[in-house]
């Protein structure tokens, strides 16, 4: 994880963009499951959400939906970042 | 046709399908045997991963566990799905780019050390065998309950089928049979769930039905009614947990990182053509898994409501047939403590230990129990597994739905067993033989070793399934705890740290492994009497200790890495290359 400040190569910029995206998505991963589903479940349970207590819903339903979305968002966003930095595997559908 | 005939038809039909697929996709090279030549479509791989992942425990046991744990069941729901986010973001794409056959391959190359490779093989074999014994047991249970086959013959038939397609087809055969098995198991899970949701709430989607009103005219929501019913009977509310928050936190974390560190799951992402496919495929895998995992809490809640409705204060003589049928098999037991002839369900265990039947019948016709009654008012023993298996009967669904559940349970158990057997055989033939003990063997010889290892592993797994060690249920904590504390940190540091050295990784894996092993063994086997929150470290139960083990692994690896010679230049180049998707190749042996 240690990056030299300079010289800033393309690969280093690519890697930093990747880490930034990853950090953001993992923060959401943590907030919905450990945050809403566990640490804040009790206070959130006072809120009603479509017939569920809200904390309970996050713990047994909501967090799983968010997990699925996070992976697809990562896959799509990384494709863009791959292409922008010219390191994508687009033309490597059938190697050798 | 009666239920029995339908069940035979469904089970034999699905087995014929799996074997047909295996013959069609026979593996000819080690590349095909280990990773299907890296040519599997991401969606197909997603389905195969989902089938691989969802075991007999997910299919048969999980909804029942949630039914009895209520809110606390969330540790399994979040723990066994959240791990895929870690897998997709932190591991799968990089390991695919690395482009060899096994997880120990990566550890061995990244940490430039055969010792590290062997440590990884040991972790992998311990984790996988723990798991596979449970699958074979699941096969046996389904056979004996639905087909009236002796449990031993059930396991033998299951072994024969897995043997046929895992040994013949390798990863290629397994992948395509798993796709079929996913379809069978998800259909078998959703159909009864939809029926039961309709029955209780008039809403066909269980995920929504769980939050809807009960259609009994009371105007109560499902969870509201469940909370009230349970509190009236003296239980805690369904939507409140009974575990301490720190323990819920630790168990969820341990299951998440354990999931991401399980070799038979990781290796599935070696089978797709490209790095970008590995990311996408993890999304599909979790989508297919989520279909079952978001249904399970609904099934659990409905089943608990149904169960209480049927059983509570019902005179034994008039109780529904299913109660007696499952009592005959020994998964339900009733002790008429207050001698009123009716069944009372209350908190606490009904009696000491698992039911011991005397072989005689009591006044009401119930099977008499030899167990000493406990002080609680509870008269009913229920094995949690019957919540899914008996649900169609409890809800009085048509015979073909019951038959379908049998086929689904078998699909879940067989697909997971096959995936596990494959990683065991691969690590023996490839990592132990080819890379360590018998260097320079040909591709054909290696393939033969792989097949022999797979066959041996199946026989051992079958033996464990027929003669399960008394602690089978307990060792599940081992599998996840050990995967979390040993493999996950080593792989993660291997990708994200340029400084992690071989000494650091080996020390980290050993510390994580031994600490977790010792903690679980102490509380489960040495001093089971002390296995409670008063004696746990920081209030963390053995199920959650893998999270602490992983933290110790990370800390040890980082400290030792600082004190030891830096990573050699070729390995730094390897790290740089796995971080970019471009230049991905078909999986092969690096010279």
């Amino acid at each position: 994880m240690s990056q030299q400040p300079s010289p800033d190569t393309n690969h280093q910029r690519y890697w930093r963009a990747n880490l930034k995206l990853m950090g953001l998505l993992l923060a959401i991963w943590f907030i919905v499951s450990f945050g809403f589903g566990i640490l804040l479940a009790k206070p959130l349970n006072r809120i009603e959400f479509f017939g569920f207590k809200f904390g309970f819903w996050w713990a047994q339903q909501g967090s799983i939906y968010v997990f699925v979305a996070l992976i697809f968002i990562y896959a799509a966003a990384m494709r863009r970042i791959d292409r922008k930095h010219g390191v994508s595997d687009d033309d490597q559908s059938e190697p050798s | 046709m009666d239920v029995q005939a339908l069940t035979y038809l469904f089970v034999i039909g699905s087995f014929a399908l799996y074997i047909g697929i295996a013959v069609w996709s026979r593996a000819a090279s080690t590349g095909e045997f280990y990773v299907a030549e890296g040519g599997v479509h991401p969606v197909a791989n997603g389905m195969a991963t989902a089938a691989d992942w969802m075991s007999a425990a997910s299919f048969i046991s999980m909804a029942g566990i949630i039914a009895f744990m209520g809110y606390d069941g969330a540790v399994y729901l979040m723990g066994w799905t959240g791990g895929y986010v870690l897998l997709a973001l932190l591991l799968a794409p990089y390991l695919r780019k690395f482009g060899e056959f096994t997880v120990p391959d990566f550890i061995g190359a990244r940490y430039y050390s055969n010792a590290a490779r062997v440590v990884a093989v040991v972790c992998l074999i311990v984790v996988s065998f723990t798991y596979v014994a449970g699958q074979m047991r699941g096969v046996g249970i389904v056979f004996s309950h639905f087909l009236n086959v002796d449990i031993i013959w059930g396991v033998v038939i299951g072994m024969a089928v897995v043997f046929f397609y895992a040994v013949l087809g390798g990863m290629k055969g397994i992948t395509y049979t798993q796709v079929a098995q996913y379809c069978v198991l998800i259909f078998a899970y959703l159909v009864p769930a939809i029926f039961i949701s309709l029955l209780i709430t008039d809403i066909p989607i269980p995920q929504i039905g769980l939050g809807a009103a009960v259609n009994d005219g009371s105007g109560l929501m499902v969870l509201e009614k469940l909370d009230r019913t349970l509190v009236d009977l003296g239980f805690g509310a369904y939507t409140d947990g009974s575990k301490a928050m720190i323990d819920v936190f630790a168990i969820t974390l341990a299951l998440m990182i354990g999931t991401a560190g399980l070799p038979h799951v990781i290796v599935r992402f070696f089978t797709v053509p490209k790095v970008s496919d590995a990311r996408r495929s993890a999304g599909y895998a979790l989508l297919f898994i989520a279909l079952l995992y978001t249904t399970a809490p609904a099934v659990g809640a409905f089943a608990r409501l149904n169960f209480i409705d049927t059983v509570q204060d019902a005179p034994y003589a008039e109780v529904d047939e299913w109660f007696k049928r499952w009592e005959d098999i020994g998964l339900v037991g009733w002790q008429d403590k207050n001698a009123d002839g009716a069944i009372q369900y209350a908190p606490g265990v009904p009696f000491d230990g698992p039911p011991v039947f005397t072989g005689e019948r009591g006044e009401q016709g119930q099977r008499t129990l030899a167990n000493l009654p406990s002080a609680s008012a509870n008269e009913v023993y229920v094995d949690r597994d019957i919540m899914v298996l008996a649900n169609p009967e409890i809800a009085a669904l048509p015979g073909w739905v019951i038959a379908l559940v049998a086929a689904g349970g078998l699909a879940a158990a067989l697909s997971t067993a096959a995936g596990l057997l494959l990683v065991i055989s691969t690590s023996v033939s490839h990592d132990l033989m080819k890379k360590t003990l018998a260097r320079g063997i040909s591709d054909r010889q290696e393939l033969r070793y792989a097949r022999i290892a797979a066959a041996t592993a199946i026989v051992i797994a079958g033996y464990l399934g027929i003669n399960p060690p008394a602690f089978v249920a307990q060792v599940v904590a081992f599998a996840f705890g050990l995967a979390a504390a040993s493999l996950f940190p080593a792989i993660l540091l291997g990708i994200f740290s340029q400084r992690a050295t071989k000494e650091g990784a080996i020390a980290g894996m050993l510390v994580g492994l031994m600490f977790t092993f010792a903690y679980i063994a102490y509380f489960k086997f040495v001093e089971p009497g002390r296995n409670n929150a008063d004696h746990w470290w920081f209030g963390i139960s053995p199920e959650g200790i893998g999270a602490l083990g992983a933290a110790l692994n990370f800390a040890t690896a980082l400290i030792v890495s600082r004190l030891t010679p830096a990573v050699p230049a070729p390995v730094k180049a390897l790290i740089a290359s796995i971080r970019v998707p471009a230049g991905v190749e078909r999986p092969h042996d690096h010279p």
Side-chain angles (χ1 to χ4, degrees):
Chain A
M1 263 170 261
S2 57
Q3 300 287 338
Q4 280 80 39
S6 64
D8 227 12
T9 66
N10 182 42
H11 278 195
Q12 282 170 337
R13 281 197 303 277
Y14 167 74
W15 189 242
R16 265 208 306 277
N18 178 14
L19 291 179
K20 204 171 131 195
L21 175 64
M22 209 184 273
L24 175 74
L25 297 179
L26 286 177
I28 298 173
W29 165 82
F30 184 86
I31 291 168
V32 296
S33 52
F34 294 97
F36 295 164
I38 298 176
L39 300 173
L40 300 172
K42 281 249 153 66
L44 285 177
N45 273 344
R46 287 191 217 113
I47 303 168
E48 206 210 277
F49 178 77
F50 291 107
F52 290 93
K53 292 178 175 176
F54 205 32
F56 182 87
W57 183 80
W58 278 111
Q60 299 211 342
Q61 297 276 311
S63 55
I64 301 175
Y65 300 134
V66 176
F67 293 157
V68 175
L70 287 175
I71 300 181
F72 281 112
I73 292 169
Y74 180 71
M78 277 311 284
R79 253 199 125 106
R80 291 232 319 272
I81 297 177
D82 287 350
R83 284 181 190 148
K84 191 176 145 203
H85 292 84
V87 295
S88 87
D89 53 9
D90 284 345
D91 48 355
Q92 278 154 339
S93 52
E94 197 29 58
S96 62
Chain B
M1 259 196 282
D2 65 345
V3 175
Q4 188 85 28
L6 275 169
T7 311
Y8 272 105
L9 186 74
F10 278 36
V11 168
I12 292 172
S14 62
F15 279 18
L17 175 68
Y18 307 151
I19 289 173
I21 294 172
V23 172
W24 164 72
S25 56
R26 195 172 185 282
S29 69
T30 48
E32 283 190 346
F33 193 90
Y34 293 148
V35 290
E37 288 285 28
V40 181
H41 190 274
V43 178
N45 185 56
M47 270 192 202
T49 310
D52 205 332
W53 172 240
M54 290 190 288
S55 58
S58 292
F59 189 93
I60 299 171
S61 309
M62 194 172 62
I65 292 172
I66 298 166
F68 288 96
M69 287 173 81
Y71 165 82
D72 288 342
V75 298
Y76 301 111
L77 293 166
M78 291 194 289
W80 286 338
T81 54
Y84 278 84
V85 178
L86 300 177
L87 195 61
L89 271 58
L90 301 174
L91 308 183
Y94 310 105
L95 292 177
R96 175 61 192 86
K97 176 66 194 298
F98 172 66
E100 283 192 39
F101 296 141
T102 68
V103 171
D105 263 340
F106 175 74
I107 303 268
R110 165 60 185 82
Y111 294 113
Y112 44 98
S113 150
N114 246 335
R117 178 195 290 271
V118 172
V119 173
V121 171
V122 171
C123 298
L124 181 149
I125 289 179
V126 172
V127 169
S128 302
F129 258 117
T130 312
Y131 232 91
V132 83
Q135 302 311 314
M136 283 300 168
R137 185 85 191 138
V139 172
I141 288 177
V142 173
F143 267 105
S144 63
H145 291 180
F146 287 94
L147 299 172
N148 283 330
V149 178
D150 196 58
I151 207 163
I152 296 177
W153 280 106
V155 172
V156 170
I157 296 168
M159 277 164 59
V161 173
V162 175
F163 180 86
F164 196 78
Y165 70 77
V167 173
L168 210 73
M171 187 54 125
K172 203 172 155 206
I174 286 177
T175 301
Y176 293 107
T177 33
Q178 278 173 339
V179 171
Q181 282 161 336
Y182 175 77
C183 298
V184 172
L185 85 85
I186 199 68
F187 188 66
Y189 203 83
L190 292 183
V191 167
I194 290 168
F195 268 112
I196 293 162
S197 184
L198 276 171
L199 217 60
I200 294 184
T201 66
D202 294 331
I203 290 173
I205 302 168
Q207 287 84 343
I208 296 174
L210 181 59
V214 186
N215 61 6
D216 60 355
S218 65
L220 290 174
M221 296 300 194
V222 170
L223 291 168
E224 217 176 347
K225 181 174 177 195
L226 198 48
D227 278 351
R228 286 196 195 178
T229 313
L230 287 173
V231 170
D232 284 348
L233 292 175
F235 292 90
Y238 189 80
T239 50
D240 289 337
S242 58
K243 287 184 193 294
M245 190 189 283
I246 177 147
D247 199 27
V248 172
F249 194 98
I251 296 175
T252 307
L253 188 59
L255 294 180
M256 281 186 185
I257 53 187
T259 300
L262 283 178
H264 72 287
V265 177
I266 295 176
V267 80
R268 289 237 45 102
F269 294 92
F270 292 23
T271 67
V272 293
K274 294 187 292 179
V275 174
S276 51
D277 291 334
R279 297 179 193 132
R280 216 146 49 92
S281 193
Y284 285 114
L286 187 57
L287 179 69
F288 294 132
I289 292 167
L291 215 50
L292 190 148
Y293 271 59
T294 53
T295 306
V299 172
F302 295 149
R304 188 87 182 267
L305 265 183
N306 255 337
F307 176 78
I308 297 172
D309 269 358
T310 319
V311 163
Q312 184 57 16
D313 289 327
Y316 180 85
E318 291 161 30
V319 77
D320 280 6
E321 267 309 302
W322 63 262
F323 189 89
K324 292 171 185 166
R325 211 158 36 233
W326 290 89
E327 185 189 17
D328 287 341
I329 292 163
L331 295 186
V332 167
W334 175 59
Q335 214 168 26
D336 195 6
K337 291 183 186 171
N338 58 0
D340 66 349
I343 302 165
Q344 270 90 31
Y345 178 54
V349 289
F351 39 71
D352 277 341
V356 181
F357 295 98
T358 57
E360 286 162 24
R361 294 278 171 172
E363 281 172 47
Q364 310 287 329
Q366 81 273 27
R367 298 180 73 186
T368 322
L369 290 150
N371 307 63
L372 286 176
S374 68
S376 78
N378 187 16
E379 300 182 340
V380 199
Y381 166 87
V382 215
D383 188 294
R384 292 167 178 198
D385 286 353
I386 75 166
M387 281 299 149
V388 166
L389 297 176
N391 225 354
E393 297 170 68
I394 297 176
L397 298 181
W400 63 270
V401 179
I402 299 170
L404 196 58
V405 170
L410 285 173
L414 291 177
S415 57
T416 308
L420 288 162
L421 291 167
L422 188 83
V423 293
I424 293 173
S425 71
T426 307
S427 65
V428 170
S429 65
H430 185 73
D431 293 307
L432 278 188
M433 299 309 296
K434 169 99 183 240
K435 293 295 180 97
T436 313
L437 297 175
R439 283 160 178 278
I441 52 174
S442 71
D443 199 63
R444 280 180 65 110
Q445 282 172 308
E446 192 186 342
L447 196 57
R448 197 162 66 233
Y449 277 122
R451 291 201 159 113
I452 294 169
T456 315
I458 290 171
V459 173
I460 298 174
Y463 176 81
L464 290 173
I466 294 168
N467 303 301
F471 47 86
V472 134
Q474 321 239 348
V475 290
V476 175
F478 268 114
F480 281 93
L482 297 180
S486 60
L487 294 171
F488 178 81
I491 303 171
L492 187 73
L493 285 177
I495 297 163
F496 287 89
S497 164
Q498 303 254 19
R499 302 195 55 131
T501 64
K502 84 173 170 199
E503 294 85 355
I506 294 172
M509 280 194 282
L510 290 177
V511 167
L513 191 69
M514 288 190 297
F515 167 76
T516 310
F517 191 90
Y519 191 89
I520 299 176
Y522 178 78
F523 283 114
K524 292 283 185 185
F525 307 121
V526 183
E527 290 277 0
R530 289 166 62 88
N531 190 7
N532 55 56
D534 294 340
H535 300 103
W536 295 337
W537 288 10
F538 314 108
I540 299 175
S541 61
E543 284 76 19
I545 201 65
L548 202 57
L552 283 176
N553 182 337
F554 276 120
T556 311
L558 289 173
I559 294 169
V560 173
S561 293
R562 289 206 168 257
L563 305 173
T564 43
V567 175
V571 176
K572 282 197 168 151
L574 171 72
I575 300 170
S577 104
I578 61 170
R579 288 181 178 185
V580 292
V584 65
E585 290 179 335
R586 184 183 285 184
H588 62 287
D589 261 334
H590 290 312

